[in-house]
Amino acid sequence: MMQKYVGSDITSMVTLPVIIFEPMTILQKMAELMEYSYLLDMADKTEDPYMRLVYASSFFISIYYAYQRTWKPFNPILGETYEMVNHGGITFISEQVSHHPPMSAGHAETEHFTYDITSKLKTKFLGNSADLYPVGRTRVTLKRDGVVLDLVPPPTKVSNLIFGRTWIDSSGEMILTNLTTGDKVVLYFQPCGWFGAGRYEVDGFVYNSADEPKILMTGKWNEAMNYQLCDSEGEPLPGTELKEIWRVADAPKKDKFQYTHFAHKINSFDTAPKKLLASDSRLRPDRMALEKGDLSTSGYEKSSLEERQRTEKRNREAKGHKFTPRWFDLTDEVTPTPWGDLEVYQYNGKYTEHRAAVDSSECIEVPDSRTEFNPWQYDNLDAE
C-alpha cells in the first residue's frame, strides 16, 4: 500500500494514526525552540562581532535537541495559533497561515532581539525513510546595533519509519550569515556512519567578511558546543583553550516523549497569557486527550477537527472568500532557498497591540482547558 507514495510529499499522504504523535503541535514546536533564547540575548549584548555569531549559531544548534524526538507533532488547523509569555521575558506568537501547502509563521521578541520565521517543510517519502527539507526563512534582528542574521539549515532524514527503530539525523552545512556585515558561520553536521560513528557531531568556523576563519567551533548538537580562537589557517591560537558556550539542560529521566522541563511548560497554562486566544494549540481536544493517554478519544477528535477543516474550506470557497491570517501578512517577497522558493509572511504587529490592550484591561481571566478550541476565524465572513 505504501509503495504508491514513494517519492511523494508526506503531507499529501493518508491520515496518520495518533499513536505516532506527541501531545504538541508544530506551532508549539516552534515555540520550544526558544528554550535557549538567552544565547540570542548574549549575542546582542556582546561587542565582539565574531562572538556574536558564536552565541547566535549555538542557539540554532540547540534547537536540534528538540528535533531528535521521533514522535510527530500535530499538524495545525488553518488559523490555529500558539501564544507564550512568562518565559525569560519572551513574547511569542505563531499561526498556521496556509493549509495547502502547510505553512506556519512565528514571531518572538525580547528586549534584545526579534525572531521571525516563515516555515514550510518539503518532504520526500522513500519507503522506510523520508527526507525533510526546511524550505523556510529565519531572521533574527539584534536590537542594540540592528544586526540582521539569516539562517540556512541543513536537511534532515528520518530512518526506519516502518521497520526498525525510528531515528533522526541531520547532515550537511548550516550557514548563519550576518547580513549587516557579511560575517558568517559555516557549521558542518557530520552524517551518521556505521554503528553511529559521527552522529551528532558539528564542526566549523566563524568567518569574517573576507572569508577568513576567526573562531573554530566544535561539539555535538545533543550535548554541548565549544569554541576557540584560531588563526587564518583555522588552527587554534597558542595560549587559547576550548571553551564551552552551550550545554543541553537536564531533562526528566525516562520521560515518555523525551521532553525537557521547558518542553513540558509548552503545554502548561503557566506559560499562557490571560485571555488566551481560543485558537491556541493548548486547547485542541485531540492534543489534550493524547496527553492524558486516551488514544481512542484523541483519534476521534483529530478526525473530527480535520473534517471540520475540510467543511470550512468548502464553505469558504463556495462564498468566494480567501482565508486571511490575523497576525501575519503575506508579502510580495519570494525568497530562494536551496530546496525551492518561499512566499514570505511578515508579522504585522497586531498581536502586540492586542496583548497590550488585554494586559492593560481589568480582565482577570485565567486560561484553562475549559475554553473551547476555535480556530475557525472565517465562520462569520460578513462580520466585518
Side-chain angles (χ1 to χ4, degrees), residues 48-54 181-186 204-217 227-238 240-241:
D48 186 318
Y50 308 122
M51 281 303 299
R52 176 178 292 146
L53 289 175
V54 170
T181 65
D183 302 333
K184 64 182 178 182
V185 183
V186 180
F205 295 93
V206 175
Y207 297 91
N208 63 15
S209 58
D211 287 334
E212 299 169 331
K214 305 299 291 185
I215 300 177
L216 67 85
M217 297 184 67
Y227 73 97
Q228 188 171 4
L229 300 180
C230 66
D231 60 25
S232 60
E233 301 298 321
E235 296 298 324
L237 285 178
T240 64
E241 60 182 14

Side-chain angles (χ1 to χ4, degrees), residues 303-316:
S303 297
S304 179
L305 283 174
E306 291 168 346
E307 180 55 38
R308 174 73 186 276
Q309 180 168 231
R310 288 188 286 268
T311 300
E312 291 287 340
K313 179 182 179 182
R314 289 193 295 268
N315 292 342
R316 184 173 68 250

